[in-house]
């Protein structure tokens, strides 16, 4: 056999081996890239949504909150504070009437939650609850269905002491959201009422739900 033929055969074998090696490396590199992409989807350090699905981002010395009233007599209220849902249908701790969460104004820890039926419940239960609030406390409130029937002037006065300026205008099936505090100087900037107006209502006998969010300063000792 001629040497040139043998040499040509060796060249062909060497070339084939190199091409096979390159093809294998390319294939495994592609697999590694896919795995890296998959892994990066779980380790992405880009900013996520703000807490409570809020549009607002708060500084470190303030607590973020979002309060949503109920919608008609179907969809319950929701109260979120400092990244935690305090009251919701899912947590099974809301009711028709007035829903209230109390939070420590210094450290943001939940103190208690409660709801009060303002159609057939006892107003004395709400009065006792409000009178028992001790400073420093942030009060978060959301109405659901009907918040006003049992409300009397003495109860309304207790809400004004927490910073409410709209309580005396609260009417039948109005939607009401409020954040107050004990103690508080003046009136709270965090309060909204949407009036029950059959000509404007979204749900026949009820107005649409209202949402309120913001940042409330921590109480410094």
């Amino acid at each position: 056999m001629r040497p040139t033929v043998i040499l040509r055969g060796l060249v062909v074998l060497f070339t084939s081996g190199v091409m096979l090696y390159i093809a294998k490396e390319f294939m495994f590199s592609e697999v590694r890239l896919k795995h890296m992409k998959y892994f990066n989807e779980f380790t992405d350090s880009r900013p996520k949504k703000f807490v409570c699905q809020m549009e607002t981002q708060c500084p470190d010395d303030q607590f973020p909150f979002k309060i949503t009233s109920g919608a008609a007599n179907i969809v319950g209220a929701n109260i979120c504070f400092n990244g935690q849902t305090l009251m919701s249908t899912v947590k099974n701790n809301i009711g028709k009437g007035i829903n209230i969460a109390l939070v420590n104004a210094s450290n943001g820890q939940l103190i208690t939650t409660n709801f009060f039926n303002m159609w057939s419940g006892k107003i004395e239960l709400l009065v006792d609850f409000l009178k028992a609030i001790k400073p420093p406390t942030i009060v978060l409130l959301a109405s659901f269905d009907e918040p006003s029937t049992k409300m009397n002037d003495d109860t309304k006065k207790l809400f004004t002491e927490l910073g409410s300026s709209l309580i005396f205008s609260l009417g039948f099936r109005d939607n009401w959201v409020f954040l107050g505090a004990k103690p508080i100087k003046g009136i709270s900037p965090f309060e909204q009422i949407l009036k029950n107006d059959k000509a404007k209502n979204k749900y026949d006998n009820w107005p649409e739900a209202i949402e309120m969010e913001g940042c409330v300063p921590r109480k410094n000792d």
Side-chain angles (χ1 to χ4, degrees), residues 206-220:
W206 291 268
E208 64 180 315
I210 49 177
E211 291 184 351
M212 179 178 67
E213 66 177 58
C215 306
V216 58
R218 296 174 184 264
K219 174 70 174 176
N220 295 320

Side-chain angles (χ1 to χ4, degrees), residues 142-205:
S143 67
F144 175 28
D145 187 18
E146 166 29 33
S148 69
T149 298
K150 293 284 186 172
M151 192 78 69
N152 55 36
D153 287 347
D154 290 338
T155 312
K156 291 178 181 180
K157 185 175 183 299
L158 292 172
F159 280 112
T160 64
E161 293 172 357
L162 298 173
S164 174
S165 61
L166 303 178
I167 182 62
F168 281 93
S169 66
L170 185 67
F172 180 68
R173 285 183 176 170
D174 290 349
N175 277 340
W176 179 33
V177 290
F178 169 64
L179 182 146
K182 187 174 184 177
I184 189 170
K185 295 179 180 179
I187 62 174
S188 170
F190 303 116
E191 184 173 27
Q192 294 180 29
I193 287 179
L194 189 58
K195 302 298 293 180
N196 171 22
D197 183 342
K198 200 170 181 68
K200 299 178 181 180
N201 285 347
K202 184 175 182 178
Y203 306 110
D204 191 20
N205 294 317

